Amino acid sequence: MRKRFMSIILCAAMSVTILSGCSGGSKEASEAKDSGAAQSQVDESTEAGSPEETITLRILSTLATETEAPLEQAMADAYMKEHPNVKIELIGQPVNDMAKKIIALNTSGDLPDAFFMPTEFMSQAYDMGIIVDHEALLGEDFMSALNEKVVEYGKINNQLMMVPWHVIPVALIYRADWLAEAGIDKIETVDDFRNTAKTFTKDGHWGFSMVGTQNGSGEARFCQYVRTFGVNEVYQDESGKWVSDLTSDNYKKALQSFVDLALVDGVVPPGPTETGYPEAAAYFAEQKTGLMISGSNAIGAIISANPELDGKLASVPLPAAERHATNLQTSGYAITTACEHPDVMADYLKFMTSKDLAVDFGIKTGRLPVTKEAAEDPAFQTDTFKGFIDCMEYALPQPAFPAYTEILDVMGESYNTMMGNNVSIDDAMAQVANRVEGILSENQ
């Protein structure tokens, strides 16, 4: 892994900017910092708007609340320097609350020009009818440059729900040096994973950085773990009826297996239901844990927090009970129907995916490029990223179920109540069956 990881800027705290009720002028764009790659791309961008017209683009950004905020701001600053008539306002909004925020803003008639699209919100956003025709806006040349899997994963009912910016496959991150010291040659199955977690748990260390919070971060990871047991959380049968495997024996096995890691094996830090992604990543960076189910962006966060781990991390596809699985997590910005200058917004978003920017951003953050050209860069052909690259072939498409977030909430409640409230597996499964039956019947 190249040492460029060490250049990422860590933010001790990010303040969340409150979305105002109107599109006012933004602050004067400052000189882009740490944006050598961004500056090299400025001349390649096309003219956006007329020089006389001031265009303000309001963008709800989740990265504005995370450690990658300076990197995204540098891209915006570079674009604004080339297009002085364009003012880009990056408005911080945590990803776990993005769906609720967009629903509220749509109700009040104050949608932003674009927002970071959570994959679990795509189906609901489609039903709301608030997203433009991205493919027509972006053009054939740009669409053909994208990885086909990225495009497939970013669609609901054949509509591209965002302008793809980066992809975050979910895989298993592990300490390669710890694995070698333990004499373990592979982590291929769920049993391998459990045994490795037990081996790593010693001398004040725990094996597994579990994200056990009942929110988008915890539920998304648990969902992929469950999928390795052959479970499909919600899907349409041959008749077109929505059904779910969450009442099956395989889900029961997956749920019990996951909970046992904390309650029986003791391979996770105390208080898993209160351990979110930031805490789990911090445990790993502090060398208190050696395994973590996460997207590739965790690589950048971990090494940025502890540069000594550069070269000691590796990744593999999620261990299989019956199959490997991943959520490709195509990430990007959705241009809303409220945007008065969608062509300018599209031009800026395409600028963000250009090769030099994408490779630099991917190296520093672990958020992998969406274009085929950028993804082939040697920086992503290392052991650190190999599992994330390999697991892309196991990506399962996002279900177009309108109440998908409710299904994920059911899953989150099942592991959360067992670990946090000592609910038995049978009682948890009864709760799952009751809720799933109601959700399916309401959304057929």
Side-chain angles (χ1 to χ4, degrees):
M1 191 64 223
R2 291 191 231 174
K3 294 295 179 181
R4 278 183 285 174
F5 268 125
M6 297 174 61
S7 64
I8 188 170
I9 303 174
L10 287 176
C11 297
M14 300 304 302
S15 60
V16 181
T17 303
I18 305 293
L19 178 61
S20 60
C22 60
S23 296
S26 64
K27 296 180 181 179
E28 289 296 321
S30 61
E31 290 295 320
K33 298 178 181 180
D34 297 324
S35 59
Q39 295 297 331
S40 70
Q41 291 299 315
V42 167
D43 294 335
E44 298 180 15
S45 181
T46 60
E47 188 81 20
S50 65
E52 296 78 18
E53 180 184 15
T54 298
I55 297 173
T56 299
L57 302 177
R58 295 189 307 162
I59 304 174
L60 258 64
S61 164
T62 63
L63 267 66
T65 68
E66 301 179 18
T67 58
E68 296 93 340
L71 300 176
E72 183 178 18
Q73 186 63 56
M75 295 181 189
D77 290 344
Y79 188 85
M80 289 188 288
K81 184 176 181 180
E82 175 65 14
H83 305 92
N85 62 310
V86 178
K87 304 301 179 184
I88 299 171
E89 297 181 354
L90 298 176
I91 303 164
Q93 178 61 47
V95 65
N96 289 330
D97 298 321
M98 181 64 78
K100 293 179 181 178
K101 186 68 172 181
I102 292 300
I103 292 170
L105 292 174
N106 183 52
T107 300
S108 64
D110 193 30
L111 281 172
D113 296 293
F115 66 92
F116 189 91
M117 173 67 82
T119 55
E120 64 271 15
F121 183 55
M122 291 196 304
S123 182
Q124 190 170 1
Y126 174 87
D127 289 340
M128 292 168 67
I130 60 174
I131 307 302
V132 302
D133 184 345
H134 288 115
E135 291 194 62
L137 190 61
L138 295 170
E140 293 183 6
D141 288 345
F142 181 78
M143 292 301 302
S144 64
L146 295 172
N147 180 295
E148 290 81 2
K149 276 281 189 181
V150 169
V151 175
E152 176 187 353
Y153 220 90
K155 287 186 174 183
I156 291 291
N157 294 333
N158 208 37
Q159 179 180 350
L160 183 63
M161 297 302 295
M162 69 186 79
V163 180
W165 177 20
H166 52 80
V167 64
I168 310 175
V170 175
L172 179 69
I173 303 169
Y174 66 93
R175 285 288 299 268
D177 53 338
W178 289 10
L179 198 74
E181 291 171 4
I184 301 173
D185 59 356
K186 65 177 182 178
I187 309 176
E188 175 70 21
T189 68
V190 168
D191 286 341
D192 293 337
F193 166 68
R194 184 179 184 184
N195 291 333
T196 302
K198 289 180 178 180
T199 301
F200 284 179
T201 302
K202 61 180 180 180
D203 302 328
H205 299 153
W206 295 277
F208 179 39
S209 263
M210 175 186 286
V211 179
T213 48
Q214 189 182 341
N215 58 21
S217 293
E219 292 162 1
R221 288 166 173 79
F222 177 64
C223 181
Q224 302 315 309
Y225 183 85
V226 165
R227 284 179 168 186
T228 69
F229 284 74
V231 173
N232 294 313
E233 63 274 21
V234 63
Y235 59 100
Q236 288 178 293
D237 62 16
E238 294 180 356
S239 69
K241 180 180 179 181
W242 287 105
V243 294
S244 172
D245 290 340
L246 297 189
T247 58
S248 68
D249 287 341
N250 277 359
Y251 181 72
K252 185 176 183 179
K253 291 177 184 177
L255 175 59
Q256 187 69 70
S257 170
F258 187 78
V259 170
D260 282 351
L261 292 168
L263 301 186
V264 177
D265 300 329
V267 299
V268 304
T273 60
E274 302 300 322
T275 302
Y277 166 73
E279 293 81 15
Y283 279 129
F284 204 109
E286 293 165 3
Q287 305 192 65
K288 294 180 180 179
T289 57
L291 297 163
M292 184 174 179
I293 293 174
S294 195
S296 52
N297 59 310
I299 294 290
I302 291 167
I303 294 181
S304 295
N306 185 356
E308 293 182 3
L309 294 181
D310 192 2
K312 298 179 180 180
L313 307 186
S315 60
V316 291
L318 289 187
E322 292 194 4
R323 63 182 179 182
H324 297 296
T326 192
N327 177 359
L328 198 55
Q329 293 192 96
T330 294
S331 300
Y333 284 108
I335 303 175
T336 72
T337 52
C339 183
E340 296 182 358
H341 301 280
D343 55 335
V344 182
M345 179 63 77
D347 186 62
Y348 169 60
L349 297 180
K350 287 193 287 186
F351 168 81
M352 294 171 72
T353 68
S354 54
K355 182 181 178 181
D356 286 351
L357 283 178
V359 171
D360 184 66
F361 186 69
I363 290 170
K364 291 176 178 177
T365 67
R367 299 173 186 263
L368 305 183
V370 294
T371 66
K372 289 173 279 192
E373 180 185 19
E376 292 171 357
D377 189 270
F380 306 117
Q381 312 307 314
T382 65
D383 287 343
T384 303
F385 286 111
K386 188 177 188 304
F388 294 106
I389 298 298
D390 290 348
C391 77
M392 291 178 69
E393 68 176 286
Y394 305 117
L396 299 175
Q398 175 81 21
F401 185 60
Y404 185 65
T405 55
E406 293 182 47
I407 293 293
L408 290 180
D409 186 62
V410 171
M411 299 172 72
E413 183 180 38
S414 66
Y415 67 72
N416 197 273
T417 56
M418 287 186 68
M419 291 190 295
N421 299 325
N422 295 317
V423 171
S424 69
I425 183 67
D426 290 333
D427 287 344
M429 288 298 294
Q431 293 173 7
V432 167
N434 182 58
R435 288 196 61 193
V436 167
E437 181 180 349
I439 294 170
L440 293 177
S441 63
E442 292 173 2
N443 291 277
Q444 292 296 346

